[in-house]
Amino acid sequence: MRILGIESSCDDTSAAVIEDGFLLSNVIASQAVHEAYGGVVPELASRAHQQNIVPVVSEAIKRAGLKPSDLDAIAFTRGPGLMGSLLVGLSFAKGLSSALHIPMIEVNHLQGHVMAHFVQEKDDPHKAPEYPFLCLLVSGGNSQIIRVLAYNDMEVIGQTIDDAAGEAFDKCAKVMGLGYPGGPVVDRLAKEGNPDRFQFAKPHIPGLDYSFSGLKTSFLYTLRDNLKENPDFIEQNKADLCASLQKTIVDILMDKVRRAVKETGIREVAVAGGVSANSGVRGAFEDHAKRYGWTIHLPKLKFTTDNAAMIAIVGLHKFQDKEFCTYDAPAFARVTDKF
Ligand code: KG4
């Protein structure tokens, strides 16, 4: 069973081929064009997807050692994401599926992030999570705690009411002049700083939901107040600011994950999405595994950001259940709580 996955929900054009659960290829073209704007510009993202989609898909099929006619189905991201970006991947999938006379499978992008844990590589196999498990999904657009009962039975039990964790990293990095996306830069600088030097506001949100907008404001006020006294404040304290910011974000994330484990009784816990690459988040998961006896699942770094391997693996599961879609399948910028 060979599935081609296509991912184009935001600013990465990706195509991957999976054969019986094993990854044959995973090609990702990232879009540097957004760096100059400090964030993703939707119109530029769609244009870049249009330029990238044919070479990226061709390369994925070639690296898999296959011909297009060897494929059994095409899985594509139907949302959530940027409408213009999604439409490029979706339209391409429809065209190719029609030309090859093979079925098409629509995939929820967030379900893909969770299922990235099930992508196996022949030369580097790993133990996949066992159902039921919890997954902290943290990216530039989402911060959610998901209860996963099966590949097609996932429930969001907590989510951010404003900014996502990745946005908090990126926006705070931006005001420090660290470029875009700032998350990885904060991570790098945090390693040399004192995480207890600065205290930033933590939210008091009931239940399992998150909020990061208060932290962002508190970070901004700390900079503003200190810059009045010392114009070089950011430059002189960059590492401590990054370390303290990262510690606060990780604390906020882990508080609710601990609570979710307590409330559900599920101690098998995974993390996914771009922010799962963060060394503070990974360290906190390892620490919680030791301290509370959790079984944890940290994704390989290449599967933390947007990629088509995660779309193809959901495609494989849906293929086995004959969950195909028709040519009138639309893209969805937003999705509901259950998927
Ligand atoms: O999942 P992803 O690639 O795309 C979105 O859905 O947005 O996540 C991108 C986000 C960005 O906010 C980026 O700053 C953040 O993930 N990120 C990190 C790290 N690597 C990526 N944040 C903190 N530390 C990192 N090492």
Side-chain angles (χ1 to χ4, degrees), residues 76 86-97 104:
F76 64 93
L86 290 165
L87 285 174
V88 176
L90 174 150
S91 309
F92 187 86
K94 286 180 181 177
L96 192 59
S97 132
M104 230 171 36

Side-chain angles (χ1 to χ4, degrees), residues 12 109 113 139-141 166-167 169-170 181-184 187 273-275 277-279 304-306:
D12 293 300
H109 177 80
H113 270 303
S139 69
E167 256 176 303
F169 271 111
D170 294 342
D187 192 359
V275 180
N278 182 265
S279 60
T304 58
T305 47
D306 291 346

Side-chain angles (χ1 to χ4, degrees), residues 9-56:
S9 64
C10 190
D11 60 341
D12 293 300
T13 318
S14 179
V17 179
I18 277 192
E19 185 179 50
D20 299 329
F22 288 96
L23 188 64
L24 297 184
S25 64
N26 187 31
V27 178
I28 304 176
S30 299
Q31 305 177 357
V33 64
H34 307 288
E35 278 165 24
Y37 301 91
V40 177
V41 184
E43 176 63 17
L44 296 181
S46 338
R47 290 183 199 193
H49 282 305
Q50 274 201 313
Q51 282 180 336
N52 294 339
I53 191 86
V54 173
V56 164

